[in-house]
Amino acid sequence: MKSMNGLRHVLIVTAALLVLLGIPLYLTGTIQRWLSGTDAISSATTVLDQPGGGYVVLINKEKHTNAKNLEIWQHFFAGEEVDFLFEDISCLIADTDPSGQEIAESFQSRLPANQMKIRKEDITMLLSKADHEKFDVILLSEELFTAYKGDAYVNPERVVILKEEGNEKS
């Protein structure tokens, strides 16, 4: 009788642990990631093609006081090959700009993992940050930048403005 109670106790405790730990791990996708064998570093090794369409990059000069690094970032966002930088950046994109997001992810894929953080913002908040220079880098599609008259929010003496024309893909 005692062995039956002990066995029942072990089964109940095991079932409770599976429910308490298993359900959250399953719902967050952790179990699937463990079983698939992928890791966070592998995504940075595949360079994504840059989509067609123009884009605008705003770089805050106050966040990049080293002139050499600022110049390298300008070349990088112009689509040129650059030397490795030991500087991390935070790139803001508009949450309503899928083209801008694709372009930002393309640039992110050319850098080591976690060197460029991409954060989505509401376009009104993003333009307010541009106006008050509370950003590191902002990347927008050319269409969105023009539609919201982005030039009106940027001080060209304190912010580098890079406008890249779209490259048509056949």
Side-chain angles (χ1 to χ4, degrees):
M1 189 76 163
K2 275 188 169 183
S3 64
M4 196 60 130
N5 285 340
L7 180 61
R8 186 177 330 141
H9 177 71
V10 168
L11 289 175
I12 290 173
V13 169
T14 303
L17 285 174
L18 283 174
V19 168
L20 288 174
L21 297 176
I23 291 174
L25 290 175
Y26 177 75
L27 292 176
T28 60
T30 304
I31 291 175
Q32 290 86 343
R33 280 194 302 275
W34 287 343
L35 295 176
S36 70
T38 60
D39 58 7
I41 297 173
S42 63
S43 64
T45 59
T46 305
V47 176
L48 302 174
D49 288 336
Q50 184 173 318
Y55 61 92
V56 177
V57 179
L58 308 175
I59 304 174
N60 189 344
K61 291 180 183 178
E62 286 186 15
K63 302 280 184 172
H64 301 276
T65 55
N66 183 327
K68 178 74 172 152
N69 286 349
L70 179 62
E71 183 180 340
I72 292 173
W73 281 121
Q74 289 176 4
H75 288 293
F76 174 77
F77 284 115
E80 302 171 16
E81 291 297 320
V82 297
D83 295 333
F84 185 74
L85 276 170
F86 292 104
E87 184 178 59
D88 294 342
I89 60 170
S90 174
C91 181
L92 297 178
I93 61 173
D95 58 1
T96 56
D97 189 11
S99 298
Q101 181 176 351
E102 286 182 39
I103 294 166
E105 288 171 351
S106 173
F107 282 123
Q108 185 184 41
S109 72
R110 294 177 48 203
L111 294 169
N114 300 322
Q115 187 171 5
M116 178 175 160
K117 302 278 189 209
I118 298 176
R119 220 176 67 227
K120 291 182 181 181
E121 289 276 343
D122 176 74
I123 187 68
T124 306
M125 290 297 296
L126 193 132
L127 292 174
S128 175
K129 287 182 180 188
D131 191 28
H132 293 92
E133 298 161 8
K134 301 290 184 192
F135 68 94
D136 188 0
V137 172
I138 293 177
L139 193 146
L140 296 169
S141 66
E142 190 176 29
E143 299 84 18
L144 194 70
F145 188 77
T146 304
Y148 280 91
K149 298 174 180 47
D151 287 322
Y153 298 95
V154 181
N155 179 353
E157 294 175 5
R158 300 175 63 136
V159 175
V160 175
I161 305 169
L162 300 172
K163 293 184 180 180
E164 295 296 324
E165 297 298 320
N167 54 345
E168 295 301 317
K169 293 189 174 189
S170 43

